[in-house]
């Protein structure tokens, strides 16, 4: 189970958590477990749902990620029972929604520092327009927020302080 990994403390150089956190009720325990097995100097990769983006694949409903929690739970119940066609591609749609900023804050409580998809992107070999757009997004907090709003998934890479 993601909340009880079978490895000893600080035994992994890299932990991958792709498309998991949005589907498990106790996402905090999942992250705590990933941090537990991560060695000092190790990296944690996370991809998950992005509550900032109005366009999602989880449900075939307009602006679904912006719905209040009680309404999301209502549609999740419907999708799991009488209206499965409401769900997008997932048999078990997201029950948790995240932002890069919120996950970064949460991981900072464990002493991890995190970078987003825009810091991970390598501009080398990219067309001039793409390199310029990436430079602008990296330089402007407002443009970075707009770029996060435009991307349906949150992606981050967090680092555990090394020796």
């Amino acid at each position: 189970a993601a909340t009880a990994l079978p490895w000893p403390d600080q035994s992994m150089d890299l932990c991958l958590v792709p498309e998991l956190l949005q589907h498990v009720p106790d996402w905090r325990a999942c992250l705590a477990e990933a941090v537990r097995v991560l060695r000092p100097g190790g990296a944690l990769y996370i991809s998950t749902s992005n509550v900032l983006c109005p366009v999602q694949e989880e449900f075939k409903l307009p602006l679904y990620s912006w719905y209040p929690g009680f309404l999301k739970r209502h549609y999740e119940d419907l999708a799991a029972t009488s209206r499965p066609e409401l769900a997008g591609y997932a048999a078990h749609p997201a029950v948790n929604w995240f932002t890069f900023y919120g996950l970064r804050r949460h991981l900072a409580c464990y002493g991890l520092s995190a970078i987003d998809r825009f810091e991970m992107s390598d501009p080398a070999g990219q067309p001039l327009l793409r390199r310029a757009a990436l430079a602008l997004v990296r330089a402007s907090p407002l443009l970075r927020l707009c770029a996060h709003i435009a991307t349906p998934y949150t992606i981050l890479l967090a680092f555990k302080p090394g020796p």
Side-chain angles (χ1 to χ4, degrees):
T3 57
L5 297 174
W7 300 292
D9 293 357
Q10 301 183 1
S11 58
M12 299 289 158
D13 292 319
L14 176 65
C15 290
L16 303 175
V17 184
E19 307 305 316
L20 173 68
L21 296 181
Q22 69 264 35
H23 299 290
V24 294
D26 195 357
W27 63 269
R28 288 174 183 85
C30 290
L31 282 183
E33 192 65 358
V35 172
R36 177 189 69 79
V37 300
L38 194 60
R39 281 190 181 125
L44 171 62
Y45 172 86
I46 299 171
S47 62
T48 189
S49 59
N50 178 11
V51 74
L52 296 175
C53 184
V55 179
Q56 296 291 325
E57 296 175 347
E58 293 288 335
F59 277 88
K60 297 175 183 171
L61 297 166
L63 309 175
Y64 179 76
S65 64
W66 292 355
Y67 290 14
F70 76 90
L71 196 52
K72 283 181 184 169
R73 285 187 294 282
H74 172 71
Y75 283 112
E76 290 160 9
D77 290 343
L78 283 176
T81 57
S82 62
R83 301 281 311 276
E85 72 277 5
L86 290 174
Y89 64 90
H92 301 284
V95 295
N96 303 305
W97 295 81
F98 302 92
T99 68
F100 163 74
Y101 305 103
L103 284 171
R104 179 178 63 185
R105 265 192 313 278
H106 184 77
L107 292 170
C109 295
Y110 292 102
L112 277 70
S113 59
I115 61 173
D116 64 14
R117 67 188 331 132
F118 308 111
E119 291 299 322
M120 285 187 266
S121 297
D122 181 8
Q126 296 293 327
L128 179 61
L129 188 57
R130 183 174 238 156
R131 285 195 318 266
L134 183 58
L136 287 171
V137 165
R138 286 178 173 177
S140 168
L142 180 58
L143 288 178
R144 187 177 293 239
L145 174 60
C146 290
H148 279 292
I149 291 170
T151 54
Y153 288 93
T154 296
I155 297 174
L156 67 83
L157 187 60
F159 302 95
K160 194 171 195 178

